[in-house]
Amino acid sequence: MVSRVRVWLNRTYAENVFFMDQLRRNPSDRAVEIHATHGDADSPVLAAADSADLEPEGLSPAGYVEYALDQCQRRGIDVFVPRLHQSAIVAHRAEFEAVGTALLAPPPEAVAVFHDKVIAYEAVQAIGVPVPPWWRVRNTDELVAAVEELEAGGHKACFKPASGAGGVGFRVITRTPFSLMHLNGFPTPYVPLDLVLQVLEQADEPVDWLVMPRLEQPEVSVDCLTGPDNLVRLAVGRTKNGRRRGFTLHEQWLEPARRIAEGFGLHYLSNIQFRMFGDRPVLMDVNTRPAGGLHQLSLCGINAPWAAVQLALGEDPGEIVPPFLGQDYTVVSGPRPLRPLSIPQQRTEAPEPLPAVPAPAAQSVETVTTEAEAPATATATATA
């Protein structure tokens, strides 16, 4: 009898309820038990798990590693998919292996390269992958110089933190004075340059921003599955152009993604994002973790989460080619049940069907949103 696989996801994005669904519906028909931890008791990820705990707050990265090792040992975790404190955790891979846990994450050297976008851009440029022009900015003078140079070339300037994920802190610079126009309608990423300069002058410490041109659509996120031998097993591009989503296997996107994944050892699941600068694709960002939208590859007949777990367990799935490319689609919001009781939650038997959620009980559901998109964008996949 084949034993069940125990998988742990720590403080992950709400959209990974779909990642969990795919693990349970794996094509190997293998029993999967999912453990989840989070800092928010109302995370839908906790409700979807077979067992769940609230994470302790205020732990240092080293303290979190100790907590994670204890979780893995006590719960018999076979595969750990770390998001929070990924850098610290992967540095202790041997200790996790000693308690019987495989880390579904790249080695520390790869994580370190892509933690800082400046280091990342310099590194990928060195292996021949195109990147947009960029400036590292820490004060008002550097910001003005970068913006003026970009505008002189006919580009809109934008900035984002030199380190970070999920589009947090991304803004587009505008010369339009702040007015009622900015207060009407929905918030936008556009911020007047004079207000940004004012904030910087009043700040107690310097910022660390990357300033670059506003890149054009389409945006293509290439989901890669790479083995510990540095060979890519899967590479599929997910396209985004406004509301419309789709898939691509065009080499103008896949070839540079493979070069990055194999060249830097981005083992297991990674997500490599491109946009257009003029008439050519350039690198936008690299995520050393599964993308929130990874489950959308199911529209191409692929169960990427399960293939990654197999690889982590030493069961090489081999090269994975989508049997077809799904039709264009969009994503919409949908409710997910929350825990009716406070955690910890434990299931000793097979999970029972979740209870029906009464329509008026708004507190019992949560809209599952992506980590990198506007609040109006959602995650229950629907065909367009």
Side-chain angles (χ1 to χ4, degrees):
M1 181 177 178
V2 180
S3 62
R4 70 175 55 198
V5 180
R6 294 176 175 86
V7 181
W8 174 25
L9 287 80
N10 77 330
R11 204 173 296 208
T12 192
Y13 302 110
E15 196 176 16
N16 273 335
V17 294
F18 302 118
F19 186 103
M20 298 159 73
D21 291 343
Q22 285 192 284
L23 288 182
R24 292 194 178 99
R25 295 195 301 265
N26 67 80
S28 303
D29 200 25
R30 186 93 172 262
V32 176
E33 183 178 292
I34 299 174
H35 180 56
T37 59
H38 208 283
D40 179 4
D42 287 334
S43 168
V45 171
L46 299 182
D50 299 297
S51 63
D53 280 323
L54 274 178
E55 293 186 353
E57 296 293 342
L59 290 181
S60 66
Y64 193 91
V65 170
E66 292 183 12
Y67 161 78
L69 282 165
D70 179 68
Q71 287 277 313
C72 289
Q73 189 164 25
R74 285 194 302 109
R75 297 190 174 276
I77 300 298
D78 298 302
V79 179
F80 177 21
V81 188
R83 190 199 68 82
L84 183 66
H85 293 310
Q86 187 191 64
S87 297
I89 289 165
V90 297
H92 294 266
R93 188 181 299 271
E95 294 170 50
F96 285 93
E97 289 176 349
V99 299
T101 301
L103 296 181
L104 204 153
E109 299 81 10
V111 174
V113 167
F114 296 103
H115 178 72
D116 185 301
K117 291 179 174 61
V118 170
I119 295 174
Y121 277 5
E122 291 174 340
V124 300
Q125 234 177 338
I127 65 169
V129 174
V131 301
W134 53 269
W135 291 259
R136 193 167 202 160
V137 162
R138 293 185 173 87
N139 56 48
T140 56
D141 291 341
E142 292 174 350
L143 177 62
V144 170
V147 171
E148 288 181 346
E149 188 163 347
L150 281 167
E151 290 179 342
H155 304 291
K156 291 180 180 177
C158 63
F159 65 86
K160 57 186 176 182
S163 62
V168 175
F170 172 80
R171 298 292 186 273
V172 181
I173 298 280
T174 176
R175 297 279 186 166
T176 305
F178 190 78
S179 67
L180 277 176
M181 178 188 70
H182 293 90
L183 301 179
N184 291 329
F186 293 103
T188 76
Y190 288 85
V191 290
L193 177 60
D194 58 340
L195 291 187
V196 178
L197 295 175
Q198 181 181 333
V199 169
L200 287 181
E201 289 167 354
Q202 296 172 351
D204 296 328
E205 56 187 32
V207 297
D208 189 8
W209 289 343
L210 206 63
V211 176
M212 56 197 300
R214 176 72 184 270
L215 302 175
E216 301 301 323
Q217 292 184 327
E219 178 178 320
V220 178
S221 293
V222 181
D223 293 308
C224 293
L225 175 62
T226 308
D229 56 3
N230 292 346
L231 296 180
V232 169
R233 307 299 199 273
L234 166 71
V236 179
R238 289 183 288 113
T239 65
K240 180 166 66 174
N241 201 334
R243 184 185 293 271
R244 181 170 291 273
R245 311 296 176 89
F247 303 99
T248 181
L249 294 177
H250 198 293
E251 284 298 314
Q252 72 172 343
W253 311 105
L254 268 55
E255 190 278 330
R258 287 195 201 96
R259 197 184 311 178
I260 292 170
E262 295 182 344
F264 294 98
L266 291 178
H267 300 168
Y268 305 109
L269 290 168
S270 60
N271 178 255
I272 303 170
Q273 301 170 355
F274 301 90
R275 274 197 175 221
M276 299 298 294
F277 180 63
D279 59 355
R280 66 172 183 166
V282 294
L283 179 70
M284 185 169 68
D285 209 354
V286 175
N287 294 309
T288 60
R289 53 166 176 76
L294 180 69
H295 64 93
Q296 294 161 10
L297 294 187
S298 64
L299 296 177
C300 300
I302 294 174
N303 188 325
W306 178 245
V309 166
Q310 284 184 297
L311 195 55
L313 293 172
E315 305 166 6
D316 196 332
E319 183 180 2
I320 301 171
V321 178
F324 53 86
L325 292 183
Q327 70 180 78
D328 285 0
Y329 64 102
T330 189
V331 289
V332 296
S333 302
R336 293 285 297 207
L338 294 184
R339 291 276 302 146
L341 303 173
S342 60
I343 56 175
Q345 162 190 350
Q346 310 297 334
R347 289 182 187 154
T348 56
E349 304 298 332
E352 296 180 1
L354 290 165
V357 180
Q363 72 275 13
S364 64
V365 297
E366 174 171 312
T367 297
V368 182
T369 55
T370 66
E371 77 272 23
E373 299 172 356
T377 306
T379 60
T381 305
T383 52

